[in-house]
């Protein structure tokens, strides 16, 4: 007999609930800028790394081109960034902040902060929790896609 799975004891459920609450927090925090959370993480990457190819940007923020392209089009339409052919390789599309996108960095940072003050963790606790979540992510990412295939054959 299988061991019962208790919902409130599941790490995945706790992460899911935290994800929902984070989304709500960022929806409210980013509302004055008309930004979604996905747009915000794209801007964070550009503020940190500068101009990136669409491919490199997607890898940095974990979004595929099907999700990233419409998001970038919207940010471009709203004046945050530009997309242009790479001078080094015309097959690549580079993404760069506009003057507006660069000027808004400080205002967005001031509004959102680092979440430390909002969630009541010390800098050390915050880093430890982030590292633990990253470890969970990495362990799950290491599970091969065919991991459960042999279980399907048993039923």
């Amino acid at each position: 007999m299988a061991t019962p799975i208790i919902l409130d004891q599941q790490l995945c459920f706790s992460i899911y609930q935290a994800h929902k609450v984070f989304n709500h927090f960022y929806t409210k925090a980013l509302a004055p800028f008309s930004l979604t959370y996905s747009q915000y993480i794209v801007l964070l990457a550009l503020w940190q790394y500068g101009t990136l190819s669409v491919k490199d940007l997607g890898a940095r923020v974990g979004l595929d081109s099907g999700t990233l392209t419409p998001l970038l089009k919207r940010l471009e339409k709203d004046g945050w960034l530009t997309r242009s052919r790479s001078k080094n390789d015309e097959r690549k599309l580079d993404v760069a902040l506009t003057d507006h996108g660069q000027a808004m960095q400080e205002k967005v940072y001031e509004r959102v902060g680092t979440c430390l003050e909002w969630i009541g963790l010390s800098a050390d606790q915050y880093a430890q929790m982030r590292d633990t979540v990253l470890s969970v992510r990495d362990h799950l990412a290491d599970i091969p896609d065919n991991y459960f295939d042999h279980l399907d054959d048993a039923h």
Side-chain angles (χ1 to χ4, degrees):
M1 179 178 196
T3 304
I5 298 174
I6 309 301
L7 180 62
D8 291 336
Q9 295 176 359
Q10 298 302 302
L11 176 61
C12 57
F13 185 61
S14 297
I15 290 173
Y16 169 75
Q17 288 179 312
H19 171 75
K20 286 179 60 173
V21 174
F22 266 114
N23 279 346
H24 180 75
F25 168 83
Y26 279 104
T27 297
K28 295 294 184 188
L30 297 169
F33 308 106
S34 299
L35 292 172
T36 66
Y37 179 73
S38 297
Q39 291 170 331
Y40 169 68
I41 64 171
V42 163
L43 292 171
L44 284 179
L46 293 171
W47 287 325
Q48 183 175 352
Y49 299 107
T51 301
L52 292 169
S53 71
V54 171
K55 181 179 178 179
D56 290 342
L57 180 58
R60 289 261 177 222
V61 299
L63 295 173
D64 61 44
S65 62
T67 303
L68 192 56
T69 298
L71 187 152
L72 293 175
K73 285 182 180 180
R74 178 60 189 250
L75 285 170
E76 186 172 37
K77 180 181 166 282
D78 292 346
W80 290 88
L81 54 81
T82 60
R83 297 175 304 140
S84 59
R85 291 283 161 207
S86 170
K87 292 176 176 78
N88 299 331
D89 184 348
E90 288 201 16
R91 295 172 295 175
K92 289 184 179 181
L93 197 59
D94 285 338
V95 180
L97 291 164
T98 61
D99 290 343
H100 167 74
Q102 290 173 339
M104 293 300 290
Q105 179 180 4
E106 192 63 30
K107 290 179 182 177
V108 172
Y109 282 0
E110 286 175 6
R111 173 89 177 165
V112 175
T114 62
C115 294
L116 273 177
E117 63 195 79
W118 303 103
I119 58 179
L121 298 175
S122 70
D124 287 343
Q125 290 171 317
Y126 181 93
Q128 182 179 11
M129 186 172 294
R130 183 202 57 233
D131 292 347
T132 300
V133 170
L134 290 174
S135 177
V136 168
R137 179 206 61 193
D138 292 346
H139 285 296
L140 289 173
D142 286 344
I143 298 171
D145 287 342
N146 65 352
Y147 178 79
F148 292 100
D149 289 355
H150 73 282
L151 297 176
D152 292 338
D153 296 338
H155 292 101

